[in-house]
C-alpha cells in the first residue's frame, strides 16, 4: 500500500498535477482556471508555451476579432488591407509577446502562421456568416541559456489592444502550470 501511494504521489508530482504550492520548483502561473478547451471567447487568447532545454516554443490561438476587428473572411478592399497589414505585423512582431531576461540571449528562430482568414479579392469563403474564426501562430526561440526557473512577462497588449485575458499554459521539464491571466501578466518557467 505504501509503495502504491509513493508511485501515485511521484506520478502526480512529475506530471505537474500537484496542487497548491507543494511543488518546490517548476513553472508558476498565478491566475484563475483556464477557460473551456476549444471554446471561442472574444478577447481571450489561448497560449501554450513549452521549454525544451534552450528552445522555447509557443502556440497562439487568437480570435480574429482581436487581430482584425472582425471574424469573417475579408470581403472588401478595406478589409483585405486590414488583414494584410495585421498579418504582416503579426509575422514581424509576434516575437515581442513574451519578455524574458536579456541575459538569456533568446533569438527568434521561426514564425509560422498555421491558420488565418482567407483573402481572395473580396470573395468570402465562409460557409457560415456568423462563424467564429481564429488566427493560429507557432513561434520558436533558441536561447543561449535555458529559461527554466526564470521569470517572464506577457506583452500581448502592445500587439493586440483588444486582448483582455490569456489562457496560459507553461510546460517545462520541471512541471506544468496553467491559468487565466491578464495580457500583461508575469509568470515563471
Amino acid at each position: 500500500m505504501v509503495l502504491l501511494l509513493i508511485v501515485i504521489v511521484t506520478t502526480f508530482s512529475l506530471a505537474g498535477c500537484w496542487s497548491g504550492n507543494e511543488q518546490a520548483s517548476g513553472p508558476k502561473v498565478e491566475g484563475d482556471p483556464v477557460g473551456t478547451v476549444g471554446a471561442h471567447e472574444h478577447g481571450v487568447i489561448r497560449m501554450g508555451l513549452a521549454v525544451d532545454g534552450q528552445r522555447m516554443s509557443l502556440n497562439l490561438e487568437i480570435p480574429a476579432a482581436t487581430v482584425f476587428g472582425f471574424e469573417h473572411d475579408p470581403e472588401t478592399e478595406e478589409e483585405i488591407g486590414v488583414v494584410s497589414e495585421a498579418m504582416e505585423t503579426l509575422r514581424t512582431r509576434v516575437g515581442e509577446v513574451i519578455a524574458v531576461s536579456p541575459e538569456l540571449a533568446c533569438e527568434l528562430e521561426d514564425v509560422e502562421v498555421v491558420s488565418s482568414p482567407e483573402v481572395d479579392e473580396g470573395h468570402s469563403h465562409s460557409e457560415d456568416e456568423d462563424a467564429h474564426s481564429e488566427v493560429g501562430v507557432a513561434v520558436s526561440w533558441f536561447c543561449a541559456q535555458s529559461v527554466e526557473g526564470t521569470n517572464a512577462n506577457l506583452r500581448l497588449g502592445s500587439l493586440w489592444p483588444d486582448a483582455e485575458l490569456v489562457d496560459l499554459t507553461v510546460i517545462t521539464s520541471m512541471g506544468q502550470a496553467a491559468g487565466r491571466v491578464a495580457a500583461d501578466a508575469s509568470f515563471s518557467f
Side-chain angles (χ1 to χ4, degrees):
M1 181 66 166
V2 172
L3 180 58
L4 179 60
L5 182 59
I6 291 171
V7 170
I8 291 172
V9 169
T10 303
T11 302
F12 276 92
S13 295
L14 290 175
C17 296
W18 203 255
S19 64
N21 293 325
E22 297 90 346
Q23 193 172 340
S25 62
K28 293 195 182 8
V29 176
E30 306 262 341
D32 293 329
V34 296
T36 305
V37 175
H40 179 91
E41 297 177 81
H42 289 251
V44 179
I45 295 175
R46 286 187 300 280
M47 174 184 276
L49 188 56
V51 175
D52 183 14
Q54 294 171 270
R55 180 158 283 111
M56 270 193 317
S57 299
L58 169 70
N59 285 313
L60 285 173
E61 292 179 21
I62 314 154
T66 301
V67 179
F68 313 120
F70 54 88
E71 292 192 312
H72 58 271
D73 288 339
E75 298 172 347
T76 66
E77 289 299 319
E78 180 181 352
E79 289 176 345
I80 290 170
V82 166
V83 169
S84 295
E85 183 177 322
M87 293 304 293
E88 181 61 25
T89 299
L90 184 138
R91 285 183 187 93
T92 58
R93 294 193 52 211
V94 73
E96 301 171 21
V97 299
I98 297 174
V100 297
S101 172
E103 290 85 35
L104 298 172
C106 296
E107 295 290 328
L108 187 64
E109 274 190 322
D110 189 38
V111 174
E112 179 185 356
V113 176
V114 293
S115 64
S116 64
E118 294 184 34
V119 176
D120 184 19
E121 299 306 314
H123 300 288
S124 176
H125 294 279
S126 178
E127 298 292 322
D128 180 1
E129 293 300 319
D130 295 324
H132 297 285
S133 64
E134 297 184 332
V135 177
V137 185
V139 184
S140 63
W141 293 264
F142 187 80
C143 304
Q145 303 173 47
S146 175
V147 299
E148 288 193 39
T150 66
N151 296 319
N153 296 302
L154 297 179
R155 300 285 185 244
L156 291 131
S158 66
L159 236 55
W160 303 295
D162 290 341
E164 298 171 18
L165 297 170
V166 179
D167 281 349
L168 174 64
T169 302
V170 179
I171 302 171
T172 73
S173 67
M174 296 187 296
Q176 62 187 16
R180 179 166 278 189
V181 299
D184 61 351
S186 297
F187 64 97
S188 63
F189 290 101

